[in-house]
Amino acid sequence: MSRLAEGLKGYVGALKRRLGSGELGSVPVVLGLVLIWVIFQALNSNFLSPRNLSNLSVDIVGTGLIAVGIVFVLLIGELDLSVGSVSGLAAAVFAVLSVQHGMPEGLAVILAALSGTAVGLVQGFFFARVGVPAFVVTLAGLLAWNGLMLYVLGSSGSINIDDEGLVAKLTSYYFNDVAAAYGLAALGAAVFFLISYQDRRRRLAAGMPSRPLSEIGVRTGVLAVIAFAAAYVLNRFQGLPLALLVFLAVIAGLDFLLRRTPYGRKVYALGGGVEAARRAGVNVVRVRISVFMVSGTMAAIGGLFLASRITSASQTSGSGILLMNAIAAAVIGGTSLFGGHGTTWAALLGMLVIQSIASGMALLGIQAAVQFMITGGVLLAAVVIDSLSRRSQQAHGRA
């Protein structure tokens, strides 16, 4: 049997074992995304066009960054309802500092992001130290930070930002050289292989079961095919969007933080059980506060990208269905509502599903009401799958 065949057999075998024990991972959302793309492409041939997919890759970034912060909060079994208002507040802070007070955009961006960090610190303190339920704290924050945003914007109600400025270019700049997209695809595949190989070496050194090299090669090959296909599509339009590059870098960086650092292990431990984590030496208060600080910071950064997309900050910033989309993206992407399970990549997968539905509906000229109903149905399906998966894992002693 060839190494490729062995690798495929090992990959399929591992997948069957995971599915059999209820560890579905990203399989349902990937299958759902493929189904959505097939249906919309059949109904409108422009859906999978390079232009539409490129625009979709930029549209997912603002809300997707907010969803990344939501993933952190969900991992400890809580929910942050204030992220929409925090994103609007950050956009307002940036616009006022940069446009009305003439502050350099770079400094204004930093202060706007730090405003989200400060909000997370305040909310985390009341939740972790004072003991107020996170639902109540963040619900109060949803109202309070929205009011503060309106106060910051003042009587004007709307502030346009520089079309050629730093923030505006976050979603309008593209790397036109084809080497940028292909280089990113090659780098992603190479990093994935190296990390997988190092994991294998560490597990072998510790006498633990590990994936064979052939299986690692198959996994890397699948990732490389997807990455280079995406690069090819992006290069057929305007190239690699800066917004997408930032999004992927943030996801990868925070995924490393969660899954390969002591801090990340503490977050997962807290989601598995507060008392057990405390007995294991985890500083529960500190980790809880830090998680809400991450959520606030990501909400602020996401708000800047949303402001970049429309080149303005207004009284409607952070309102509408932004909060619901951010939470839905994290859950649909595979982050458990019960805590302890999920990765930052869930935000990417979930946003692809939600934005694909929105994009397909727009191309077909279907009213937004239908989009909301379909997205709600997908969210319910994701929660049902999560619940059934958790029940199956408990039956197999894995939860």
Side-chain angles (χ1 to χ4, degrees), residues 181-182 184-193 216-232:
Y182 288 129
L184 180 62
L187 177 63
V191 170
F192 177 82
F193 177 81
I216 293 176
V218 170
R219 289 171 176 265
T220 303
V222 171
L223 176 63
V225 169
I226 296 174
F228 276 94
Y232 172 75

Side-chain angles (χ1 to χ4, degrees), residues 3-376:
R3 289 187 176 181
L4 177 60
E6 290 179 356
L8 287 172
K9 183 179 179 180
Y11 181 77
V12 173
L15 182 60
K16 286 182 178 179
R17 287 192 297 272
R18 289 179 56 193
L19 295 179
S21 62
E23 296 181 32
L24 301 180
S26 60
V27 174
V29 66
V30 171
L31 294 177
L33 182 62
V34 171
L35 179 62
I36 290 170
W37 283 16
V38 169
I39 291 175
F40 280 125
Q41 177 65 14
L43 296 175
N44 190 311
S45 59
N46 290 323
F47 180 78
L48 292 181
S49 66
R51 174 186 290 273
N52 191 57
L53 290 181
S54 180
N55 289 335
L56 189 151
S57 73
V58 177
D59 290 337
I60 66 174
V61 175
T63 308
L65 288 168
I66 300 174
V68 171
I70 291 290
V71 168
F72 274 74
V73 180
L74 288 176
L75 285 176
I76 65 170
E78 301 296 340
L79 197 59
D80 188 348
L81 300 178
S82 69
V83 290
S85 296
V86 175
S87 70
L89 173 62
V93 169
F94 167 79
V96 168
L97 292 178
S98 175
V99 177
Q100 295 187 348
H101 295 282
M103 181 179 291
E105 282 201 32
L107 180 57
V109 165
I110 294 174
L111 292 177
L114 289 177
S115 70
T117 308
V119 166
L121 175 62
V122 171
Q123 295 184 156
F125 173 81
F126 279 103
F127 165 59
R129 180 66 70 179
V130 180
V132 183
F135 177 86
V136 176
V137 172
T138 57
L139 179 60
L142 182 153
L143 301 172
W145 309 128
N146 184 67
L148 181 58
M149 177 195 72
L150 298 177
Y151 178 81
V152 169
L153 287 173
S155 58
S156 63
S158 179
I159 301 175
N160 294 324
I161 63 178
D162 184 6
D163 291 344
E164 300 298 324
L166 172 64
V167 169
K169 288 184 177 180
L170 289 176
T171 55
S172 64
Y173 185 82
Y174 291 77
F175 297 96
N176 302 121
D177 191 338
V178 296
Y182 288 129
L184 180 62
L187 177 63
V191 170
F192 177 82
F193 177 81
L194 290 175
I195 291 177
S196 300
Y197 181 73
Q198 289 296 327
D199 278 348
R200 180 177 184 272
R201 289 187 59 184
R202 283 194 294 267
R203 294 178 74 86
L204 286 175
M208 299 173 63
S210 62
R211 293 191 178 99
L213 279 176
S214 55
E215 184 180 337
I216 293 176
V218 170
R219 289 171 176 265
T220 303
V222 171
L223 176 63
V225 169
I226 296 174
F228 276 94
Y232 172 75
V233 171
L234 292 174
N235 281 333
R236 288 185 61 195
F237 183 54
Q238 290 181 305
L240 174 65
L242 173 61
L244 180 61
L245 176 62
V246 173
F247 189 29
L248 293 176
V250 169
I251 289 176
L254 293 181
D255 179 68
F256 181 88
L257 175 68
L258 276 177
R259 296 205 283 181
R260 304 190 180 276
T261 66
Y263 170 76
R265 288 190 285 272
K266 292 176 183 178
V267 173
Y268 280 109
L270 195 56
V274 176
E275 189 56 36
R278 182 180 287 111
R279 292 182 179 182
V282 175
N283 188 322
V284 175
V285 171
R286 185 177 301 173
V287 174
R288 280 177 162 175
I289 292 176
S290 69
V291 163
F292 276 90
M293 290 174 68
V294 171
S295 179
T297 304
M298 295 310 303
I301 296 174
L304 293 176
F305 274 83
L306 292 172
S308 169
R309 200 66 171 138
I310 60 175
T311 62
S312 70
S314 68
Q315 294 178 344
T316 60
S317 297
S319 60
I321 62 169
L322 175 60
L323 170 62
M324 292 298 102
N325 277 346
I327 296 174
V331 176
I332 291 172
T335 305
S336 175
L337 285 169
F338 302 101
H341 295 280
T343 70
T344 54
W345 295 100
L348 173 62
L349 290 173
M351 276 310 304
L352 281 174
V353 169
I354 292 174
Q355 197 58 43
S356 293
I357 294 173
S359 177
M361 292 291 181
L363 286 175
L364 296 175
I366 299 175
Q367 57 183 331
V370 178
Q371 174 194 333
F372 297 159
M373 289 187 285
I374 293 177
T375 303

